[in-house]
């Protein structure tokens, strides 16, 4: 099939792109065909925080009234909290303990509200959003123009590359039928940091020198229905640091309608080999400061996604012959402010403006033309400037939590001129062996025993090790605190779409046989990866996979391809 | 004689059945909590009817398929993004509430009105298909009423199979008690068929069908007339059924013991 | 009350009234008001006689060969005639497939309204019915008349019918019909293939877990089939399934060939009535569990101690591997039988 422009993935980046070009296309006599294919079964099934300054979004919607977008609220109050550890189970270095001691003087509910929020974190005049509801709302506006088509439930497997140019995409095979080829003059690649099309382009065309994507995080969040007597108003924002582990940042945003988003980021520089996000998220919710608001609430939905935390260092070639990259997969996320949605939107707008510039010229979408329009706009805008400031902001975390905080502060305050230096390493190279990570807390012999038992029982290590170092058992109540498997059933159930093959595969089974670390079992957001009974490659269950991509950056031996299904919650 | 049909499929939209559903009583009567936030799908048995319609149309050249739906335009548009990739169809949209607490009589009036207004619809070749019961009102009433309003007195419900004979007759299997089917033969259209699941698998998404359908779907949504549809009755109460048992957990128990206990329970009176 | 209640019932193949029809009669009587009985069938005298003492002011009927069959055109015409002749304001009929097929159409024809799947009738009248596939229950009243009600079994103790002869004078209404439909009969899966047994004492539900990859990384479909069919053969249980499992069968995957959509319980499937139910490899999501409403004793085998069943939806949850347990259960049943 042939179209003029094909977009891969419908998120804020493609939203920004299509929103920019659609009105102009709607005016044309014979407009070009513009189609977007999105992997998820619905446009509302994305996952993200979101508390955003929304500069790009507001520029695109000058009359924006947040009340039009379900779950949106203007930010009215922002707080930055340092959370102490009431359980004593988290792993805290001596300097961090000292910090705890100082902070402890001013604490209330095991938390200290910092008197001031650094400018780079503040989201003044911004919005709290549900990315799912926002994306869906944007798609409604788009469909009304009649100028573009967006199709969910259509994963794109790979780009079509001929003679050094991208000439379109190939859709994923379904029901035993090979996926259709969609040829296009311009392929807009917006499939996020773990999208297969973007990664294939990196493989084929290479990456810029200094390109590096070592830093990642799993963002894991829940949407909670707050108890009816909760005093927090919509638009209340909490950023937190310090708990459940110093390296794990958290957030708590209040939406209208008595809903809240609460989540954590489990980063690749958190070197625990059993870094599971779900249980940590539950402990986070039960921190006394948060629990005072959440207790008695009800879980509405849960989701997880990988964030590319290398920011600008992870920027690939933005354009080539026949293609352009936008959004998080193009390295647009600002890792200093921890914001990505508005940045992704803005890259989409920039590409949209470029396409509108090239169209009347009837100029082909060559690398040159896209550079002089899109890349130029990108370099000139606030996005790139701020991204440069942020570029090395998180380096310090490679060396430790406090160093990381100091590094971020320095970067923020000096606008990127002074940063902490560190050699970043790939996640696989930094993660510590279990004995070392828990050294001093659990004797090696005991670890060996627990490991053996877990292998026999066919379960990951994280629960037993976390129990052992003092993390309290989660008191499941079936309402807010539910088992990991039950969370997959809430908000419409994680589903494996019919007709698609397994999209997660283990490449070298012998390697899996020998693997001691088995981090894939620990960190899979949906428990979709489970140990095989008699050793060998783990078993993958498509019906539990939320397509977060954490497996991709935790282990080199895992292939993560395009597939349908995943979350079915519209509220994340 | 070649058989071709004008197939009109009536299908509402409902929240994806795996979502959490709770009723709330508002000033206009009961509604679903957060209805607008919930992802919606085409009513499951109506969707089966649609696939059967497409299958039938493909097998009988000259046939045409319309999908008539009463729903809010915004939600219907979202559902179309999925449905429109599956089968060729022409959408007739009626703007109104899609919840289950609306009255079947009033909904049938709106749907029948929209069907009567379809230009070029040949009533002598009309097959009116839909879901036997919806996943919302779940009463199994609306299709019959639409049929009556259109003067169709050959009607079938709980249909799992339709075979068209050489002579244009319709051999129909309907679900009856005891897991059985009743077999009937109708001489031909017009007829109403309220489908159960049938036997066809869900069609795969097709980019070409999507593109083809989209051209007409937006205009159909834009010209959707508003329909006034109410509850038609007074609700004294709407609630989730309360059925809570004390679940006894049997863990860390040998398989043999569990098996014995189960067998004991099975054979006990 | 000033309502005229018409009880509509059709006869069974042998001319009798079903248990559900008798329950419906009892419910109709409980409303008070003037009661009229309307019967549809090939020959209705025996049926009428069996309820001669029910207190109906009149017995009306539409009978004859054309009305022996379950068919929309003829049944609708018959019901229409009966409602008009009775001048009924409320029409109560059993929720059988025969009446479910046509009663809404009759309501439309007469400018009335209808509520189906009625589970209770109280003074008013106020009725209780389901919405959202039995996930919600509502109590409603209507002002419009005639008001048609299709009632579910369990609504009342059945009216005690008695074999009598010549007890009732039945008014036969002449109804002309032309129908374009011939009923050929019923079709059932072959006896040994029939896995749906409404009268079984036990419902056995198979969930999607049977077809999943097990701990050894492989699916064991053949074992699953053997164990399930073996259990059904040993116990005469009825087979139900979750939606996900029957959907798999529909995708053309080689799953369990003896399963079809007819086996689905809950969601858009059925709500069977059995005294006992055993669920295996099924997580217990709400849309499925609503189908278990009428199963009295519920036990579950699932590897997940935190599955949906664990929270008040089952009596006992065995946290165990269903393959292993059913292997032993079948063996023990075989021993018990010998």
């Amino acid at each position: 099939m042939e179209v003029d422009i094909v977009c891969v993935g419908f998120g804020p980046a493609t939203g920004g792109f299509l929103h920019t070009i659609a009105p102009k296309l709607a005016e044309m006599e014979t407009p070009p065909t513009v189609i977007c294919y999105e992997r998820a079964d619905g446009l509302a099934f994305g996952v993200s925080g979101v508390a955003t300054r929304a500069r790009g979004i507001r520029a695109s919607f000058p009359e924006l009234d947040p009340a039009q977008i379900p779950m949106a609220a203007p930010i009215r109050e922002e707080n930055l909290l340092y959370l102490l550890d009431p359980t004593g189970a988290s792993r805290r270095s001596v300097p961090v303990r000292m910090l705890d001691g100082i902070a402890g003087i001013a604490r209330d509910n095991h938390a200290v509200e910092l008197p001031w929020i650094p400018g780079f974190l503040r989201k003044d005049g911004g919005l709290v959003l549900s990315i799912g509801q926002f994306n869906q709302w944007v798609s409604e506006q788009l469909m009304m123009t009649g100028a573009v088509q967006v199709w969910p439930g259509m994963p794109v497997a790979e780009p079509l590359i001929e003679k050094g140019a991208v000439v379109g995409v190939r859709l994923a095979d379904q029901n035993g039928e090979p996926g259709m080829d969609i040829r296009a003059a311009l392929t807009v690649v917006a499939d996020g940091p773990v999208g297969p099309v973007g990664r294939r382009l990196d493989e084929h065309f290479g990456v810029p020198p200094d390109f590096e994507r070592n830093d990642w995080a799993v963002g894991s969040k829940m949407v909670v229905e707050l108890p009816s007597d909760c005093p927090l108003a919509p638009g209340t924002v909490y950023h937190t640091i310090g708990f459940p582990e110093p390296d794990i940042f958290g957030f708590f945003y209040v939406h209208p309608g008595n809903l809240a988003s609460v989540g954590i980021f489990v980063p690749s520089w958190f070197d625990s080999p059993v870094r599971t996000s779900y249980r940590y998220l539950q402990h986070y919710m039960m921190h006394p400061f948060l629990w005072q608001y959440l207790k008695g609430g009800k879980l509405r939905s849960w989701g997880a996604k990988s964030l590319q935390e290398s920011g600008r260092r992870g920027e690939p070639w933005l354009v080539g012959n026949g293609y352009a990259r936008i959004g998080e997969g193009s390295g647009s996320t600002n890792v200093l402010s921890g914001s990505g949605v508005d940045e992704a939107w803005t890259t989409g707008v920039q590409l949209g403006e470029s396409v509108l510039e090239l169209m009347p010229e009837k100029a082909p979408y060559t690398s040159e033309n896209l550079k002089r329009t899109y890349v130029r706009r990108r370099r000139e805008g606030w996005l790139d400037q701020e991204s440069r400031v942020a570029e090395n902001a998180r380096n310090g975390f490679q060396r430790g939590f406090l160093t990381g905080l100091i590094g971020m502060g320095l970067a923020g305050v000096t606008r990127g001129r002074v940063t902490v230096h560190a050699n970043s390493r790939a996640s696989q190279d930094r993660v510590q062996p279990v004995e070392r990570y828990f050294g001093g807390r659990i004797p090696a012999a005991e670890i060996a025993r627990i490991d053996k038992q877990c292998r026999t029982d066919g379960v990951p290590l994280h629960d037993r090790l976390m129990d052992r170092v003092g993390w309290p058992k989660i008191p499941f109540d079936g309402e807010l605190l539910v088992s990991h498997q039950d969370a997959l059933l809430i908000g419409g159930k994680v589903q494996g779409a019919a007709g698609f093959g397994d999209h997660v595969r283990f490449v070298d089974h012998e390697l899996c046989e020998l693997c001691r670390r088995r981090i894939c079992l620990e960190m899979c957001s949906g428990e979709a990866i489970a140990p095989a009974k008699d050793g060998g490659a783990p078993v993958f269950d498509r019906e539990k996979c939320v397509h977060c991509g954490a497996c991709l950056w935790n282990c080199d031996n895992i292939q993560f391809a395009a597939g349908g299904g995943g979350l079915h919650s519209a509220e994340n | 004689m070649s058989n071709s049909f004008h197939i009109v499929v009536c299908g509402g939209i409902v929240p994806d059945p795996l979502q959490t559903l709770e009723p709330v009583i508002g000033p206009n009567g009961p509604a679903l909590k957060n209805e607008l936030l919930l992802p919606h799908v085409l009513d499951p048995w109506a969707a089966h009817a649609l696939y059967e319609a497409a299958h039938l149309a493909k097998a009988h050249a000259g046939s045409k398929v319309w999908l008539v739906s009463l729903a809010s335009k915004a939600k219907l548009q979202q559902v179309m993004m999925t449905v429109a990739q599956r089968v060729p169809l022409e959408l007739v949209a009626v703007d109104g509430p899609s919840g289950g607490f609306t009255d079947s009589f009033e909904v049938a009036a709106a749907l029948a009105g929209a069907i009567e207004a379809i230009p070029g619809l040949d009533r002598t070749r009309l097959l009116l298909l839909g879901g036997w019961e919806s996943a919302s009102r779940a009463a199994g009433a609306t299709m019959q009423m639409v049929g009556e309003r259109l003067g169709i007195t050959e009607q079938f419900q709980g249909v799992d199979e339709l075979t068209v004979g050489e002579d244009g007759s319709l051999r129909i299997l309907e679900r009856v008690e005891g897991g059985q089917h009743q077999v009937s033969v109708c001489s031909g259209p017009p007829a109403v068929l309220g489908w159960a699941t049938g036997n066809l698998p869900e069609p795969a998404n097709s980019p070409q069908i999507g593109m083809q359908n989209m051209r007409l779907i937006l205009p159909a949504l834009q010209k959707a007339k508003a329909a006034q549809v109410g509850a038609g009755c007074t609700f004294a109460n709407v609630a989730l059924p309360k059925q809570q048992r004390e679940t006894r957990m049997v863990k860390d128990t040998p398989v043999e013991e569990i098996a014995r206990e189960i067998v004991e329970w099975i054979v006990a009176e | 009350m000033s309502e005229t209640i018409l009880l509509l019932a059709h006869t069974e193949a042998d001319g009798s009234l079903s248990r559900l029809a008798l329950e419906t009669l009892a419910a109709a009587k409980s409303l008070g008001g003037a009661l009229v009985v309307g019967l549809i069938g090939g020959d209705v005298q025996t049926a009428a006689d069996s309820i001669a003492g029910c207190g109906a002011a009149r017995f009306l009927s539409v009978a004859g060969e054309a009305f022996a069959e379950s068919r929309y055109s003829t049944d609708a015409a018959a019901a229409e005639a009966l409602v008009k002749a009775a001048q009924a304001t409320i029409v109560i009929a059993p929720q059988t497939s025969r009446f479910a097929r046509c009663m809404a159409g009759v309501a439309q024809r007469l400018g009335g309204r209808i509520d189906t799947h009625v589970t209770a009738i109280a003074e008013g009248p106020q009725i209780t019915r389901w919405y959202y596939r039995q996930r919600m229950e509502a109590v409603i009243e209507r002002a419009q008349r005639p008001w048609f009600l299709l009632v579910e079994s369990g609504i009342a103790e059945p009216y005690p019918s008695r074999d009598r002869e010549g007890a009732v004078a039945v008014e036969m209404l002449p109804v002309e019909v032309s129908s374009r439909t011939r009923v050929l009969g019923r079709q059932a899966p072959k006896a040994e293939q029939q896995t749906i047994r409404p009268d079984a004492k036990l419902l056995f539900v198979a969930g999607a877990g049977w077809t999943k990859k097990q701990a050894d990384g492989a699916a064991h479909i053949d074992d699953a089939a053997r164990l399930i069919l073996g259990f059904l053969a040993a116990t005469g249980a009825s087979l139900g399934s979750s939606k996900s499992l029957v959907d798999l069968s529909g995708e053309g995957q080689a799953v369990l060939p003896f399963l079809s959509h007819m086996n689905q319980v809950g969601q858009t499937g059925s709500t069977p009535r059995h005294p006992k139910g055993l669920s295996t490899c099924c997580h217990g999501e709400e849309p499925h569990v609503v189908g278990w409403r009428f199963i009295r004793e519920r036990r579950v085998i699932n590897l997940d101690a935190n599955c949906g069943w664990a929270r008040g939806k089952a009596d006992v949850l065995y946290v165990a591997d269903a393959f292993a347990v059913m292997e032993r259960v079948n063996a023990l049943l075989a021993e018990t039988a010998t």
Side-chain angles (χ1 to χ4, degrees):
Chain A
M1 202 173 86
E2 260 196 60
V3 303
D4 293 288
I5 300 178
V6 67
C7 305
V8 183
F10 187 81
T14 303
F17 173 69
L18 294 177
H19 176 81
T20 305
I21 65 173
K24 289 289 182 295
L25 278 113
E27 289 168 9
M28 292 164 77
E29 277 276 327
T30 42
T33 15
V34 179
I35 303 204
C36 172
Y37 292 108
E38 161 59 37
R39 188 205 65 72
D41 293 341
L43 301 184
F45 299 154
V47 184
S48 186
V50 177
T52 174
R53 285 181 65 186
R55 283 172 288 173
I57 292 172
R58 282 197 196 278
S60 294
F61 295 101
E63 317 272 294
L64 179 66
D65 172 14
Q68 298 171 308
I69 310 173
M71 288 178 72
I75 292 178
R76 61 193 307 278
E77 186 197 319
E78 250 185 301
N79 310 282
L80 175 57
L81 295 175
Y82 181 72
L83 299 177
L84 298 159
D85 177 1
T87 68
S90 68
R91 191 161 170 252
R92 299 171 105 74
S93 62
V94 169
V96 174
R97 279 182 220 276
M98 284 171 53
L99 187 60
D100 287 346
I102 300 168
I105 299 166
R107 70 162 180 220
D108 180 22
N109 259 328
H110 297 269
V112 178
E113 195 171 318
L114 299 183
W116 132 105
I117 302 180
F120 56 81
L121 270 189
R122 276 209 305 268
K123 309 281 194 288
D124 299 327
L127 298 171
V128 165
L129 293 174
S130 147
I131 194 70
Q133 289 297 315
F134 174 72
N135 285 344
Q136 187 166 90
W137 177 79
V138 169
S139 75
E140 279 165 33
Q141 318 303 312
L142 286 174
M143 295 304 269
M144 282 307 179
T145 66
V148 299
Q149 296 180 19
V150 186
W151 297 111
M154 294 295 257
V156 178
E158 56 189 296
L160 294 172
I161 304 174
E162 285 170 13
K163 299 201 182 85
V166 171
V167 298
V169 297
R170 174 164 292 161
L171 301 176
D173 298 345
Q174 198 186 3
N175 288 349
E177 295 289 317
M180 185 175 287
D181 285 355
I182 312 287
R183 301 184 80 83
L186 175 65
T187 300
V188 176
V189 180
D191 59 351
V194 297
V197 176
R199 285 183 289 117
R200 183 83 192 91
L201 291 177
D202 290 343
E203 276 169 39
H204 185 93
F205 293 110
V207 291
D210 298 338
F211 170 93
E212 161 264 294
R213 284 192 181 186
N214 290 330
D215 297 336
W216 294 86
V218 170
S220 181
K221 66 167 275 190
M222 297 181 177
V223 172
V224 175
E225 194 174 302
L226 297 167
S228 49
D229 57 356
C230 183
L232 298 176
T236 304
V237 166
Y238 288 99
H239 309 285
T240 72
I241 53 179
F243 183 85
E245 299 276 357
D247 315 84
I248 297 180
F249 293 3
F251 62 89
F252 177 36
Y253 306 148
V254 183
H255 301 275
N258 227 35
L259 293 177
S261 284
V262 53
I264 55 173
F265 303 99
V266 181
S268 54
W269 54 87
F270 170 51
D271 294 327
S272 164
V274 297
R275 52 173 178 236
T276 178
S277 51
Y278 186 79
R279 181 166 172 182
Y280 270 126
L281 177 53
Q282 292 180 306
H283 286 300
Y284 179 66
M285 289 206 297
M286 291 198 299
H287 184 280
F289 185 89
L290 292 171
W291 197 241
Q292 67 179 313
Y293 300 119
L294 294 173
K295 180 177 181 184
K298 212 167 139 181
L299 180 62
R300 282 272 279 263
S301 67
W302 160 88
K305 97 181 226 32
S306 284
L307 291 95
Q308 200 267 91
E309 294 279 4
S310 296
R312 204 168 181 290
R313 294 204 309 276
E315 186 187 284
W317 295 123
L318 290 175
V319 301
N321 288 325
Y323 78 91
R325 297 181 67 167
I326 57 176
E328 197 182 345
S330 73
S332 56
T333 298
N334 185 305
V335 297
L336 177 58
S337 57
S339 49
V341 171
D342 197 43
E343 284 73 7
W345 179 274
T346 303
T347 62
V349 171
Q350 289 166 343
L351 181 62
E353 289 169 350
S354 309
V355 163
L356 290 177
E357 187 182 326
L358 292 172
M359 239 184 237
E361 294 174 21
K362 295 213 197 316
Y365 297 110
T366 58
S367 182
E368 279 317 302
N369 287 339
L370 289 166
K371 277 188 189 142
R372 70 176 167 84
T373 53
Y374 169 53
V375 181
R376 177 183 56 82
R377 279 184 169 80
R378 190 133 163 189
R379 294 292 173 243
E380 289 171 4
W382 58 263
L383 182 96
D384 203 65
Q385 283 157 20
E386 293 184 11
S387 197
R388 281 176 203 277
V389 166
E391 192 156 359
N392 292 309
R394 300 231 174 165
N395 287 358
F397 287 106
Q398 302 285 328
R399 288 158 59 173
F401 167 62
L402 280 183
T403 320
L405 281 185
I406 294 169
M408 260 181 86
L410 274 179
V413 159
T414 66
R415 305 209 31 86
R417 283 183 214 100
V418 180
T419 54
V420 168
H421 174 73
N423 289 321
S424 105
R425 288 170 289 154
S427 154
Q428 296 90 311
D429 298 330
R430 337 173 21 111
V431 125
Q432 296 181 9
V434 178
E435 296 74 18
R436 176 132 62 92
Y437 186 78
F438 289 100
R441 304 179 81 190
I442 313 178
E446 196 180 341
I447 291 179
R449 212 173 8 88
I450 293 175
D451 186 40
K452 187 155 175 242
Q453 190 62 51
C454 284
R455 282 180 192 256
T456 310
D457 297 342
V459 297
L461 288 169
H462 56 75
D463 269 342
R464 295 192 192 168
L465 290 179
M466 285 176 77
D467 289 346
R468 175 61 180 78
V469 295
W471 286 103
K473 284 231 181 278
I474 307 286
F476 294 124
D477 59 14
E479 292 285 318
L480 178 57
L481 297 171
V482 305
S483 74
H484 200 163
Q485 288 304 297
D486 276 345
L488 300 185
L489 297 176
I490 291 181
K493 188 179 177 197
V494 176
Q495 296 180 30
F500 294 99
D502 282 353
H503 55 274
V504 168
R505 289 206 180 83
F506 298 89
V507 181
D508 182 345
H509 289 211
E510 280 176 19
L511 212 58
C512 293
E513 184 102 34
L514 297 168
C515 180
R516 274 224 61 215
R517 188 178 293 164
R518 312 200 313 170
I519 197 170
C520 55
L521 308 179
E522 310 296 332
M523 53 86 262
C524 176
S525 298
E527 294 187 335
I529 296 177
K533 193 170 200 166
D534 302 317
V539 174
F540 173 67
D541 187 348
R542 215 162 51 85
E543 308 242 331
K544 299 184 180 179
C545 178
V546 299
H547 297 253
C548 76
C551 50
L552 175 72
W553 53 266
N554 269 284
C555 177
D556 275 336
N557 200 32
I558 294 181
Q559 239 178 30
F560 179 70
L567 288 171
H568 271 241
S569 163
E571 293 178 329
N572 283 307
Chain B
M1 178 183 102
S2 75
N3 302 305
S4 70
F5 302 103
H6 276 189
I7 311 171
V8 172
V9 181
C10 293
I13 66 172
V14 297
D16 180 336
L18 292 171
Q19 300 289 331
T20 303
L21 303 181
E22 269 180 63
V24 284
I25 311 265
N28 297 327
L32 278 187
K33 192 171 174 189
N34 304 309
E35 185 167 5
L36 295 177
L37 285 182
L38 297 171
H40 279 57
V41 296
L42 188 62
D43 187 75
W45 277 342
H48 285 289
L50 181 62
Y51 306 149
E52 295 284 342
H55 182 74
L56 209 53
K58 209 163 163 197
H60 298 271
S63 298
K64 209 169 158 188
V65 177
W66 287 265
L67 174 65
V68 181
S69 188
L70 168 67
S72 82
K73 287 197 281 199
K75 275 314 212 196
L76 187 52
Q77 181 184 268
Q78 286 164 23
V79 172
M80 282 300 111
M81 282 182 184
T82 309
V83 173
Q85 297 185 74
R86 300 233 162 106
V87 294
L89 56 87
E90 206 176 306
L91 176 68
V92 177
V94 183
D95 190 15
S98 56
F101 298 109
T102 52
D103 185 51
S104 50
F105 187 89
E106 296 183 40
V107 170
L111 292 175
I115 294 171
E116 278 165 340
I118 294 177
L121 183 66
D122 182 351
R123 304 266 208 114
T124 65
R125 293 193 284 151
L126 175 59
L127 288 177
L128 184 63
L129 269 48
W132 169 27
E133 290 189 0
S134 70
S136 49
R137 192 181 312 99
T142 313
M143 288 309 298
Q144 294 178 42
M145 292 178 160
V146 176
E148 278 286 325
R149 283 180 178 265
L150 298 175
I152 306 175
T153 54
E154 306 301 324
Q155 299 201 16
F156 304 86
Q157 299 290 342
V159 178
D160 270 331
E161 194 180 288
L162 165 65
T163 318
V164 180
E166 287 286 319
D167 58 351
S169 63
L170 311 171
R171 185 176 184 276
I172 298 167
L173 262 57
E174 299 166 276
R175 290 189 189 187
V176 293
E177 286 77 359
Q180 300 191 345
H181 284 100
Q182 171 163 301
V183 188
S184 311
V185 176
C186 176
S187 63
V192 173
L193 285 87
W195 283 83
T197 54
N199 297 310
L200 295 177
E202 203 173 78
N205 291 344
S206 157
Q208 284 147 331
I209 292 181
M211 247 180 59
Q212 202 183 309
N213 280 337
M214 242 337 154
R215 296 205 178 94
L216 297 177
I217 284 181
L218 185 62
L221 286 169
Q222 281 167 341
K223 65 178 191 227
K225 289 208 180 68
Q228 295 303 322
V229 171
C233 64
T234 321
F235 284 84
N237 186 36
V238 186
L240 296 172
K242 294 186 202 333
Q243 233 195 35
Q244 202 76 1
R245 296 161 184 246
E246 285 290 326
T247 309
R248 172 165 68 88
M249 304 283 292
V250 175
K251 284 204 276 198
D252 304 319
T253 303
V255 166
E256 184 64 34
E257 217 179 290
I258 294 177
R260 280 192 189 284
E261 194 178 301
I262 290 178
V263 171
E264 240 178 70
W265 168 68
I266 290 174
V267 303
E269 278 306 308
Chain C
M1 80 146 60
S2 57
E3 310 265 14
T4 303
I5 321 282
L6 172 64
L7 164 71
L8 273 182
H10 58 80
T11 54
E12 300 299 291
D14 64 357
S16 66
L17 288 173
S18 69
R19 183 195 161 97
L20 177 55
L22 295 170
E23 290 184 37
T24 312
L25 171 56
K29 279 172 62 68
S30 74
L31 275 178
L35 177 65
V36 177
V37 167
L39 299 172
I40 306 173
D43 179 345
V44 305
Q45 190 64 50
T46 317
D49 289 344
S50 73
I51 55 171
C54 70
R58 297 163 72 191
F59 281 75
L60 308 173
S61 82
V62 176
E65 204 183 311
F67 305 99
E69 295 295 351
S70 164
R71 177 174 40 205
Y72 182 92
S73 48
T74 42
D75 282 343
E80 179 190 2
L82 289 165
V83 174
K84 281 179 173 162
Q87 293 181 307
T89 57
I90 295 183
V91 181
I92 300 190
Q95 177 96 31
T96 59
S97 65
R98 180 166 177 175
F99 278 163
R101 180 184 302 103
C102 66
M103 211 51 71
V106 180
Q108 169 67 49
R109 229 179 252 191
L110 297 171
R113 302 291 189 273
I114 186 167
D115 287 290
T116 64
H117 298 297
V118 174
T119 53
I121 306 182
E123 211 186 296
Q126 276 192 343
I127 60 126
T128 306
R129 58 163 282 190
W130 292 106
Y131 284 87
Y132 287 93
R133 297 292 312 178
Q134 296 158 44
R135 295 169 72 170
M136 278 169 230
E137 212 171 16
V139 178
I140 67 171
E141 350 189 313
R142 287 189 189 270
Q144 304 95 335
R145 296 293 183 269
W147 186 11
F148 290 72
L149 304 173
L150 288 184
V151 304
E152 293 274 11
S153 80
I155 191 147
E157 279 302 302
Y159 176 83
S161 64
R162 284 172 32 201
D163 284 336
R164 293 239 210 115
E165 265 194 51
V168 172
V170 179
E171 299 169 46
M172 307 281 256
L173 303 178
V175 173
E176 293 274 335
V177 247
S178 62
S179 173
R180 297 189 290 108
T181 297
R182 274 180 307 127
V183 177
L184 300 184
R186 289 197 166 194
Q187 181 175 297
K190 292 202 205 39
E192 60 272 16
Q193 283 172 13
Q194 171 60 289
T195 54
I196 299 171
R197 302 163 181 155
D199 298 321
K201 291 257 179 343
L202 175 71
L203 171 73
F204 179 83
V205 165
W210 282 104
T211 61
K212 291 273 174 68
K213 286 178 236 167
Q214 298 302 310
D216 63 357
H220 291 264
I221 310 272
D222 292 339
D223 287 334
R226 178 179 54 82
L227 290 169
I228 295 170
L229 289 175
F231 181 78
L232 295 181
T235 56
S238 184
L239 178 63
S241 172
S242 64
K243 181 175 199 292
S244 36
L245 187 52
V246 297
D247 280 352
L248 284 174
S249 305
E251 278 171 38
Q253 293 188 22
V255 202
L256 298 169
F258 48 84
L259 271 183
S260 75
H261 282 284
M262 306 285 283
N263 295 95
Q264 184 186 326
V265 170
Q267 285 209 51
T268 42
S270 68
T271 310
R273 292 156 194 274
H274 303 273
K276 298 177 188 169
L278 178 62
S279 163
T280 55
C281 301
C282 158
H283 199 96
E285 304 138 7
E286 190 56 24
H288 169 69
V289 175
V290 293
W292 282 65
R293 282 202 57 68
F294 303 113
I295 310 292
R296 278 205 297 273
E297 295 175 39
R298 306 176 185 179
R299 299 197 180 196
V300 176
I301 309 173
N302 194 309
L303 279 167
D304 183 357
N306 288 309
C307 67
W309 294 105
R311 277 188 307 284
K313 295 185 186 161
D315 301 311
V316 187
L317 168 60
Y318 299 100
V319 182
D321 174 10
F323 278 86
V325 173
M326 294 313 295
E327 193 80 64
R328 281 310 298 153
V329 164
N330 286 352
L332 287 169
L333 287 169
E335 279 174 34
T336 324
T338 52

